[in-house]
């Protein structure tokens, strides 16, 4: 065994020095020969250990991939392409320092999920604005924190992405008090109304640099060309919507209506269906013939409460991007680029 290990661990030219020793042809090796034997044995032992460890790691990796491949086939069906079992880390774990990172930089969360068996019969498509049509949340996150800094005892931003995720899709009058409470800021120091006022005053600084979400403009163009009615249905105030879309006139011009959250007929914000139902009434279509695009679980709940179909677009920067939060959606997409026109049929 020693001969074999040494033979495979040192140059062939050294064989003549150690083989006589092992076969007892030399009864007392010289210092040089002893050193050669010691080094050769050491190299052989190290090589053997490396080979054994590498083999175990390879077997473990192969087993993991094998399990992942089996699960992929079982969950997607025999006709689905086999996908690699190793994926990137979940992007919802992005740390706070990347508050201004765009949703496009967050990259794909997972493969799109199309949960329909046949094309949906649709008359109108309703779009949420912030985080759905417009890459809004990065700037919003920064502005929400900038306003809080003077009132925070540490002088640092106190709003996390996890906290931010709880307010997406809701009206400011509903979430402002919650954020201040979670951040430990007393209403006597900063009232919810004043917080919203300061936040809304700060946000216009970000509007010129806010891009449309990937695929948004192209999808709206395709829908209009196919004869569908399209609308913005947002929890934001009308003035706020107008300020944001002023920098995207081509998109605004294609909208049949804009339904804001401060409309007098809206009694409750998302997850209530009021905003979507009001938009459907103004468009003259039945709720069950509407498809809603939303980025938040609250918006999804509102669409479903209104008996509408929903395409969810989770934001990978937020913990709420977990697909489990969008279980009722008819589509779960990374972007509107993944939506195909043959998923719907016009009534």
């Amino acid at each position: 065994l020693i001969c074999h290990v040494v033979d495979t661990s040192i140059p062939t030219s050294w064989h003549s020095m150690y083989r006589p020793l092992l076969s007892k042809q030399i009864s007392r090796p010289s210092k040089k020969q002893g050193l050669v034997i010691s080094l050769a044995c050491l190299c052989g032992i190290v090589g053997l250990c490396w080979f054994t460890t590498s083999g175990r790691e390879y077997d473990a990796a192969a087993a993991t991939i094998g399990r992942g491949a089996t699960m992929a086939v079982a969950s997607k069906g025999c006709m689905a392409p086999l996908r690699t079992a190793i994926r990137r880390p979940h992007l919802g774990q992005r740390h706070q320092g990347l508050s201004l990172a765009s949703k496009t930089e967050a990259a794909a969360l997972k493969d799109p999920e199309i949960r329909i068996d046949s094309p949906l019969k649709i008359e109108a498509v309703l779009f949420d604005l912030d985080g759905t049509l417009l890459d809004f949340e990065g700037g919003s996150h920064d502005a929400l924190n900038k306003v809080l800094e003077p009132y925070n005892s540490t002088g640092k931003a106190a709003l996390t992405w996890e906290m931010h995720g709880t307010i997406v899709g809701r009206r400011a009058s509903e979430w402002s008090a919650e954020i201040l409470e979670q951040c430990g800021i007393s209403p006597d120091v900063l009232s919810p109304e004043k917080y919203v006022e300061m936040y809304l005053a700060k946000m216009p600084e970000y509007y010129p640099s806010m891009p449309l979400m990937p695929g948004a403009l192209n999808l709206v163009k395709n829908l209009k060309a196919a004869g569908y009615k399209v609308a913005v249905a947002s929890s934001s105030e009308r003035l706020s919507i107008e300020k944001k879309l002023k920098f995207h006139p081509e998109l605004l011009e294609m909208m049949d209506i804009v339904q804001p959250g401060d409309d007098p007929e809206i009694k409750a914000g998302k997850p209530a269906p009021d905003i979507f139902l009001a938009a459907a009434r103004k468009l003259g279509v039945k709720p069950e013939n509407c498809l809603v695009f939303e980025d938040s679980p609250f918006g999804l709940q509102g669409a479903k409460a209104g008996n509408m179909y929903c395409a969810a677009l989770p934001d990978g920067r937020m913990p709420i991007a977990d697909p489990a939060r969008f279980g009722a959606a008819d589509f779960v997409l990374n972007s509107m680029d993944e939506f195909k026109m043959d998923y719907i049929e016009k009534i």
Side-chain angles (χ1 to χ4, degrees):
L1 174 61
I2 294 176
C3 287
H4 175 71
V5 171
V6 176
D7 276 350
T8 56
S9 303
I10 66 173
T12 305
S13 58
W14 290 20
H15 289 180
S16 61
M17 300 181 65
Y18 77 85
R19 280 179 174 162
L21 296 175
L22 296 176
S23 61
K24 298 183 180 181
Q25 292 180 9
I26 300 177
S27 59
R28 188 170 184 175
S30 65
K31 290 183 179 180
K32 183 176 179 180
Q33 290 172 328
L35 179 60
V36 170
I37 293 175
S38 299
L39 288 174
C41 290
L42 179 61
C43 290
I45 293 170
V46 170
L48 185 61
C49 291
W50 175 85
F51 180 80
T52 303
T53 302
S54 298
R56 284 197 297 266
E57 291 175 350
Y58 176 83
D59 291 342
T64 300
I65 293 175
R67 288 194 299 271
T70 301
M71 292 172 65
V73 172
S75 62
K76 295 294 184 179
C78 295
M79 297 302 292
L82 196 60
R83 294 184 175 88
T84 304
I86 300 173
R87 295 187 179 275
R88 289 172 290 186
H90 194 285
L91 291 164
Q93 298 172 349
R94 179 183 293 258
H95 61 74
Q96 255 185 273
L98 296 179
S99 63
L100 284 176
S102 69
K103 185 177 179 181
T104 54
E105 291 172 344
L109 289 174
K110 60 177 303 221
D111 296 323
E113 296 182 15
I114 313 302
R115 300 169 175 172
I116 59 172
D117 297 321
S118 59
L120 305 178
K121 305 295 185 181
I122 297 297
E123 287 185 89
V125 180
L126 314 181
F127 294 91
D128 171 56
L129 179 60
D130 299 339
T132 300
L133 285 174
L134 193 64
D135 192 357
F136 176 83
E137 302 305 339
S140 174
H141 189 81
D142 194 66
L144 286 165
N145 275 316
K146 284 286 195 297
V147 173
L148 289 178
E149 285 179 6
Y151 302 92
N152 189 294
S153 59
T154 62
K156 297 180 180 180
L159 182 75
T160 65
W161 274 110
E162 184 174 6
M163 292 161 60
H164 190 140
T166 66
I167 72 175
V168 175
R170 299 168 62 197
R171 294 190 290 190
S173 59
E174 299 170 344
W175 54 253
S176 51
E178 293 178 14
I179 292 300
L180 291 175
E181 182 180 357
Q182 291 181 62
C183 292
I185 300 175
S186 168
D188 297 330
V189 176
L190 178 62
S191 69
E193 296 77 16
K194 185 63 175 178
Y195 180 36
V196 173
E197 179 185 335
M198 296 171 68
Y199 163 69
L200 293 177
K202 183 74 174 174
M203 277 307 302
E205 298 176 16
Y206 299 86
Y207 293 162
S209 60
M210 284 184 180
L212 294 176
M213 298 302 289
L217 185 61
N218 189 55
L219 177 57
V220 174
K221 285 181 177 179
N222 290 339
L223 290 168
K224 291 296 289 184
Y228 293 94
K229 296 179 180 180
V230 295
V232 171
S234 171
S235 297
S236 298
E237 299 177 355
R238 182 177 295 276
L239 181 59
S240 176
I241 295 174
E242 292 173 351
K243 287 180 179 179
K244 297 168 191 173
L245 290 182
K246 178 179 69 174
F247 299 97
H248 304 283
E250 186 178 5
L251 180 71
L252 181 59
E253 290 170 2
M254 289 188 288
M255 294 297 164
D256 292 291
I257 66 162
V258 172
Q259 177 59 59
D262 61 346
D263 193 310
E265 66 179 297
I266 306 301
K267 303 305 180 184
K270 304 170 187 177
D274 298 28
I275 292 172
F276 299 127
L277 293 175
R281 282 195 298 271
K282 292 177 181 178
L283 290 171
V285 300
K286 296 179 180 180
E288 59 267 29
N289 296 331
C290 292
L291 171 64
V292 176
F293 279 82
E294 263 287 354
D295 70 311
S296 78
F298 298 109
L300 166 62
Q301 292 172 35
K304 288 301 178 180
N307 196 29
M308 299 179 180
Y309 297 106
C310 187
L313 297 159
D315 189 327
R317 294 167 292 195
M318 301 184 190
I320 62 168
D322 183 351
R325 301 286 298 275
F326 297 88
D330 301 284
F331 309 88
V332 180
L333 311 173
N334 297 296
S335 77
M336 281 178 262
D337 281 326
E338 295 176 339
F339 187 83
K340 302 183 186 306
M341 290 297 292
D342 57 10
Y343 293 157
I344 57 177
E345 288 181 356
K346 190 174 184 304
I347 297 177

